[in-house]
Amino acid sequence: MGDIFSNLGLGFGVVFNLVQWTPAFLGGASIPIPVNILLCLIGALVGTLVGVLPGIGTIATVAMLLPITFGLPPVGALIMLAGIYYGAQYGGSTTSILVNIPGEAGSVVTALDGFQMAKQGRAGPALAIAAIGSFFAGCVATVLIAVLGAPLTKLALAFGPAEYFSLMVLGLIFAVVLAKGSVLKAIAMIVLGLLLSMVGSDIETGASRMAFNIPELADGLGFATVAMGLFGFAEIIRNLDTGGESDRELVQQKVSGLMPTAKDLKDSTPAILRGTVLGSILGILPGGGAVIASFAAYTLEKKVSKTPQKFGRGAIQGVAAPESANNAAAQTSFIPLLTLGIPPNAVMALMVGAMTIHGIVPGPQVMQKQPELVWGMIASMWVGNLMLLIINLPLVGIWVRLLRVPYRLMFPSIVIFCSIGIYSVNNAPVDVILAGAFGLVGYWLIKHDFEPAPLLLGMVLGPLMEENLRRALLISRGDWSVFLTRPLSAVLMAIAAALLVLAVLPTLRKKRDEVFVESEN
Amino acid sequence: MNDMPSHAPVESIMPKWVRGPQDFIGGLALMGIALFALWASSDLQGMRGFSFGAGTAPRMFGFLLLGLGAAVTLVGILTEGAHLARYHWRGPLFVSLAILSFALTIRPMGMIFAAMTSFLISACGTAETRWIETLIVGACLTAFCALLFPYALGLPLQLLPTFMIR
C-alpha cells in the first residue's frame, strides 16, 4: 500500500514540478511556472480543438499532433501527448452529441442518446455528464494503474523471450476478437502490418530487407508516416467522397444551461459506476479497449434499465455509461503499455512511436529505471481529466463555433498540417510522399472494409515479435515446442487459441455482433 | 470508418460465381502484396541451423499473408457480400497532388511557398471551394504555420526559398 502512495506521490511531484523562470524584463526576479501542468493543459486544449473537428478521430488527432511534442523533454512530451489523447477523446464526444458525427468509433454510441438530448435542448447536461462521468472514471482508472503497475512489472521481469512472444500473440488475438467486423480480415491486416514492419535493415544481421536501395527506407517505414497516411490522409480523402457538407445537421439552439439537474445526476450515477467498472476491465485487455467498452456499457445499461424504451430517445444513462466506460478503458489501456511494453491498441502504438523517438523503449525496465517518467505520466492522466472538466465545459461555445467551420476549408488545412508534421520528423520529403501513398492505401482499405487499426498494431509489434521469436528459438536450440513446454507461455498460448476458436464459433459471433449492433440502427 | 461498405449499385463487372466482390478483390490484392514481398525478400538469407536469417521472418509473414489473402478471396467467392464501393477520383487525385507538390517544393522553395501552393491544390479536391475565401484562409494558415513550427515549436524548417536566402 505504501508503495502505491509513494509512487503516486512521485508522479504528482513530477507533474506539479515548478520551473523558475527568470525573464530579463523583471530584473532578476523569478516566477515559478508549473511547466508540466501547462503542457498537459495545452495538450488537452489542442487535442480537443482537433478532436472536435468532425471526421477526425482520436488516432488521427494524436498522429497529427505528434510532431508538436518533438521539441520537448521526454517527460513533458509524454505528459502533453496524454493530454492530447484525452482532449481528442472528449472532442469526439462533443461532436457526437452536438452534430451526431462521432469522431471515432468509441463515441458512436454516445451519439445515439447524446444527439437526441441535444435536439431536446439538453446539450448542456449531456456534455456535462459526459465530462463528469469521464472524470470519475479517470480517477478510478488512475488508482487502478497505480495499484496494478508494480506487481505487473514484477511479473513482466520474469518473462523470457518465449513468454513475450506468446503474450504478443495473445494481445494481437485479443485485438482481433474485440474489434468490430470480420475476424479473418482483421488478422490479415495484422499480418500485413507485421510484413510492413520488416522493411528496413535487419536488427541482427544488418541486411537490408525489401528496401530496394532507397536510402529513406533503410531504417524502415516510419511509424508516424504510416499512421498519418492511414488515418490522416485516408480519412480526408474518404470524407471528400461524401461531399463534406451533406449530412451535417448541427444543433442550432444555443447551448445553455450547462448544469445537469439533481435528477440527471441521480439517474446517471449508477450508470457512471457500472460504466467505469466495465471500462476499466475491458481497457486492460489488449485489443479494442475503449471501443468495445463503450458499446458494452451501453448494451448493459439498456439491459438493466427499467425503461429500456427510453434509450435512443435521449436517456442520460445512454450518455453517462459509454462515456465513463470509454474513458476508463482509454486510461487502463496504458497498463499493458507501461508495464509490459506492449501497446494494446493503435493509440498506444502511437505512444510507443513517440517514446521511441525520445529514445525510450517502453517496458518493465522503464518502470524501474525512469520511475519519474512513468509515474509522472500516470499522475498527469488524472490532472488531464481534471483539466477537461474545468476548462472544456466553459469553452463549449467555442467548440460549437468550430463545428461550423466548413469542410471545404478544413481539409486543405489538415493536408498542410499533416504534411509539415511528417516532414519535420526527419526533414525528409520522401516521408511526405510515402505518407501520401499510405493515404491512398488507407482509402482503398476502407473501400474494401479492412480496418487500418490492426495494421498499425501489427507494425509496431512486428520487430518485437521477431526479436523475441528469434531469441526464444535460439535459446531452445531451434525447438518450436518451447512455446508450449514453458508453463507461462503455454497458458498464454492456450488462452489465445481458445479465444480464436470462440471468436469464430457462430453463437459467440452472434453475441459479439450484438454488442456492436447498436451503431447500425 | 466502418459505415462505408457502399450498397450503391455499381455495375458489376464480376463473374456470377463471385458473390462478394469486395472481399474477392481485397483478398486477391493481399495475395498480390504477399507475393511481391516474397519476391522482394527472396535474396535474403534463410535459416542457418536453428538461428533465424534476415529473410526468415519476412518469408514467414509473407506466406501467412498469402494464406490469409487466399482465405479472404475464398470468402468472397463462397458467401454473399458487399459490392465494390464506388470510387471518386477528384478528392484522391487533388489531395495526392497537393502532398506531392509539398514534398517536391519544401526543400527548394521553403515552407511558405510549399504550404500555400499545396493548400490551393488540395482545395481543388471538392467542387464546393470558393476561391476568395480559400485564398484568405490559406494565407492565414500559412502564416500561422510559419509562426508555429519554427518559432513556437523550435523545429528547423526553412521558411523562404533557397535562392532568396543566399
Side-chain angles (χ1 to χ4, degrees):
Chain A
M1 235 10 226
D3 260 7
I4 297 166
F5 284 117
S6 68
N7 284 336
L8 277 181
L10 173 69
F12 279 104
V14 172
V15 173
F16 289 107
N17 179 29
L18 298 176
V19 172
Q20 298 295 328
W21 184 49
T22 322
F25 60 84
L26 283 179
S30 62
I31 311 167
I33 297 181
V35 175
N36 287 336
I37 289 196
L38 279 181
L39 287 175
C40 188
L41 170 69
I42 297 171
L45 270 181
V46 182
T48 318
L49 192 85
V50 178
V52 119
L53 303 173
I56 301 179
T58 315
I59 307 174
T61 307
V62 177
M64 248 184 256
L65 294 175
L66 206 55
I68 69 173
T69 64
F70 286 163
L72 300 168
V75 179
L78 288 181
I79 287 178
M80 191 166 176
L81 271 177
I84 291 173
Y85 179 28
Y86 302 127
Q89 274 222 322
Y90 190 73
S93 325
T94 310
T95 39
S96 302
I97 291 171
L98 293 177
V99 258
N100 202 14
I101 299 180
E104 38 138 9
S107 45
V108 167
V109 276
T110 310
L112 298 177
D113 279 281
F115 186 62
Q116 291 304 322
M117 281 182 76
K119 267 190 173 164
Q120 295 159 13
R122 307 217 309 133
L127 287 166
I129 276 296
I132 295 169
S134 297
F135 177 68
F136 176 77
C139 294
V140 173
T142 306
V143 175
L144 198 65
I145 296 178
V147 172
L148 287 181
L152 269 178
T153 310
K154 279 204 192 91
L155 180 72
L157 288 173
F159 275 24
E163 281 80 12
Y164 254 109
F165 180 78
S166 306
L167 184 67
M168 279 183 266
V169 171
L170 176 62
L172 288 176
I173 298 293
F174 251 123
V176 168
V177 175
L178 294 185
K180 222 179 141 175
S182 154
V183 172
L184 179 65
K185 284 168 124 179
I187 298 181
M189 280 300 99
I190 288 179
V191 175
L192 181 58
L194 292 173
L195 200 56
L196 285 174
S197 74
M198 295 291 115
V199 175
S201 39
D202 176 26
I203 329 164
E204 263 170 52
T205 59
S208 162
R209 306 198 278 199
M210 299 187 266
F212 305 106
N213 290 327
I214 302 170
E216 279 82 2
L217 283 184
D219 281 337
L221 288 164
F223 186 71
T225 314
V226 176
M228 238 178 294
L230 285 182
F231 290 95
F233 289 145
E235 280 293 281
I236 295 170
I237 299 175
R238 187 187 70 103
N239 285 335
L240 282 176
D241 270 11
T242 50
E245 319 297 317
S246 52
D247 52 354
R248 267 215 261 168
E249 38 170 338
L250 182 56
V251 173
Q252 295 297 338
Q253 292 101 318
K254 265 188 81 180
V255 181
S256 56
L258 205 54
M259 281 329 284
T261 60
K263 186 176 175 300
D264 287 341
L265 284 176
K266 196 172 143 268
D267 285 345
S268 46
T269 308
I272 290 177
L273 287 173
R274 280 190 289 262
T276 304
V277 172
L278 203 58
S280 305
I281 297 168
L282 287 170
I284 302 177
L285 302 180
V291 182
I292 184 110
S294 62
F295 279 96
Y298 189 84
T299 314
L300 176 74
E301 227 31 64
K302 209 171 163 181
K303 283 236 167 83
V304 300
S305 171
K306 287 192 198 93
T307 52
Q309 70 277 8
K310 274 193 184 163
F311 280 77
R313 299 210 171 82
I316 198 155
Q317 295 93 331
V319 178
E323 279 303 299
S324 319
N326 84 25
N327 206 52
Q331 209 144 330
T332 49
S333 62
F334 272 95
I335 295 178
L337 174 69
L338 293 175
T339 55
L340 306 171
I342 293 176
N345 57 40
V347 179
M348 290 302 122
L350 272 173
M351 286 292 204
V352 174
M355 287 177 159
T356 324
I357 287 168
H358 285 287
I360 306 161
V361 181
Q365 293 86 0
V366 180
M367 201 94 163
Q368 294 195 317
K369 284 186 194 143
Q370 289 167 293
E372 76 287 346
L373 186 104
V374 174
W375 294 106
M377 203 162 131
I378 291 170
S380 77
M381 294 172 188
W382 185 80
V383 177
N385 277 307
L386 186 68
M387 299 278 178
L388 288 181
L389 191 64
I390 54 179
I391 296 160
N392 281 351
L393 283 182
L395 290 182
V396 162
I398 294 181
W399 306 143
V400 173
R401 224 160 291 156
L402 254 180
L403 287 173
R404 299 220 168 92
V405 175
Y407 199 68
R408 61 171 188 275
L409 293 176
M410 212 163 71
F411 85 89
S413 317
I414 302 170
V415 170
I416 304 306
F417 206 77
C418 285
S419 300
I420 299 178
I422 300 162
Y423 176 72
S424 66
V425 177
N426 289 326
N427 277 337
V430 176
D431 281 355
V432 183
I433 295 177
L434 275 175
F438 272 103
L440 292 177
V441 171
Y443 178 65
W444 183 86
L445 290 178
I446 295 168
K447 288 283 180 194
H448 283 267
D449 215 13
F450 285 111
E451 285 270 347
L455 192 160
L456 209 58
L457 204 54
M459 222 191 125
V460 173
L461 288 179
L464 277 173
M465 281 185 92
E466 188 194 5
E467 202 188 325
N468 284 298
L469 182 62
R470 268 182 170 176
R471 271 201 238 145
L473 286 178
L474 208 59
I475 294 169
S476 74
R477 309 186 70 78
D479 181 9
W480 284 82
S481 69
V482 62
F483 297 107
L484 302 175
T485 47
R486 291 183 62 125
L488 206 52
S489 166
V491 170
L492 292 169
M493 279 293 185
I495 300 173
L499 265 176
L500 203 56
V501 171
L502 283 177
V504 287
L505 281 183
T507 44
L508 213 93
R509 273 283 287 279
K510 237 173 97 194
K511 265 272 186 300
R512 172 171 164 273
D513 294 341
E514 218 169 72
V515 175
F516 283 120
V517 87
E518 300 291 350
S519 63
E520 272 127 41
N521 44 36
Chain B
M1 61 185 67
N2 315 299
D3 44 352
M4 266 319 280
S6 163
H7 303 289
V10 180
E11 283 294 306
S12 188
I13 43 162
M14 289 287 141
K16 271 221 176 78
W17 45 271
V18 177
R19 287 149 110 188
Q22 194 188 62
D23 284 353
F24 180 73
I25 298 291
L28 283 184
L30 289 185
M31 286 168 74
I33 296 170
L35 287 175
F36 177 74
L38 286 173
W39 168 78
S41 58
S42 58
D43 57 331
L44 296 166
Q45 197 179 19
M47 296 289 278
R48 283 164 299 159
F50 48 73
S51 82
F52 271 35
T56 312
R59 244 167 265 160
M60 221 163 67
F61 295 137
F63 279 116
L64 210 55
L65 187 63
L66 192 63
L68 288 165
V72 174
T73 313
L74 212 62
V75 169
I77 293 174
L78 295 178
T79 57
E80 214 61 50
H83 280 278
L84 287 181
R86 193 189 291 274
Y87 284 85
H88 297 250
W89 60 272
R90 189 172 180 149
L93 176 71
F94 283 105
V95 170
S96 310
L97 278 180
I99 295 168
L100 200 61
S101 127
F102 183 90
L104 295 179
T105 54
I106 181 84
R107 276 280 170 80
M109 299 302 285
M111 202 205 82
I112 292 176
F113 179 86
M116 193 67 202
T117 344
S118 85
F119 188 93
L120 295 179
I121 296 176
S122 58
C124 299
T126 169
E128 288 158 5
T129 296
R130 299 170 201 168
W131 283 105
I132 297 175
E133 176 193 74
T134 302
L135 276 171
I136 297 171
V137 173
C140 293
L141 185 87
T142 308
F144 173 71
C145 286
L147 291 175
L148 177 74
F149 286 97
Y151 295 107
L153 299 174
L155 296 171
L157 279 174
Q158 178 191 331
L159 290 178
L160 296 170
T162 315
F163 65 83
M164 279 174 76
I165 293 175
R166 264 181 300 170

